[in-house]
Amino acid sequence: YEQCGLAGATMVKFIGETYEKAIVSDNIGASLQENSELKPLKFEVLSEDESKKESLSTCLQQEGFYVYSSYLNNREVTLPNTTKGNAIKQYLDIYPTTKTYGIGDGENDIDMLKAVDTPIAVANASEDVKALAEIIIDDANHGSVGKFILEYIL
């Protein structure tokens, strides 16, 4: 996976060690055919070639997939019903009076932030995330998420 660069290779190693059913493959189509019992909720594309990532993103978005980047050299691909925002909407269908908070930093959090009562961004979030936030807390590297939860939610 050297074509993914050092960051991509590190992520591939992390994914393989972290997730019970993760498949790391150069050919996702063949891997899905070989593992037809799997019902993927998300897949990630790692590449240093920005034009290939953009081309793939455009194609998949036209087919109704959500495509976003959450870290260097990647694209995450999900179906609309598997986003963080959709999970919150489903929860609210069951518990409609619940006060909801969402804390985010990247593109993969935008749908969630649109679904919650109080959208929050960390200081090192993308500008798109910050634009949605009602509250901006300190950056994620200084315990700001835990501090916010302890001070304002619990």
Side-chain angles (χ1 to χ4, degrees), residues 21-142:
K21 284 289 190 178
I23 296 173
V24 178
S25 173
D26 286 331
N27 186 335
I28 189 69
S31 294
L32 289 172
Q33 286 178 343
E34 292 168 11
N35 298 280
S36 60
E37 76 284 358
L38 295 179
K39 305 289 187 245
L41 300 176
K42 172 173 88 170
F43 65 91
E44 297 191 32
V45 176
L46 301 170
S47 175
E48 288 187 322
D49 187 328
E50 192 61 36
S51 66
K52 286 183 181 178
K53 288 185 293 193
E54 285 305 314
S55 176
L56 177 66
S57 295
T58 300
C59 178
L60 290 170
Q61 286 168 338
Q62 290 172 350
E63 294 297 321
F65 290 91
Y66 282 22
V67 182
Y68 42 84
S69 178
S70 59
Y71 54 87
L72 185 66
N73 293 338
N74 95 315
R75 290 297 184 274
E76 292 185 29
V77 182
T78 66
L79 291 170
N81 64 344
T82 63
T83 65
K84 295 174 185 180
N86 190 62
I88 289 168
K89 289 173 189 172
Q90 288 181 5
Y91 181 85
L92 289 172
D93 285 344
I94 300 167
Y95 305 102
T97 60
T98 302
K99 171 80 172 159
T100 56
Y101 300 83
I103 302 175
D105 66 347
E107 287 180 48
N108 62 329
D109 296 317
I110 289 174
D111 195 47
M112 170 191 65
L113 295 174
K114 290 179 179 178
V116 298
D117 297 315
T118 306
I120 303 159
V122 292
N124 56 321
S126 71
E127 292 305 315
D128 290 340
V129 169
K130 288 180 184 177
L132 291 171
E134 290 178 13
I135 300 169
I136 297 177
I137 59 177
D138 196 12
D139 71 72
N141 300 319
H142 293 96

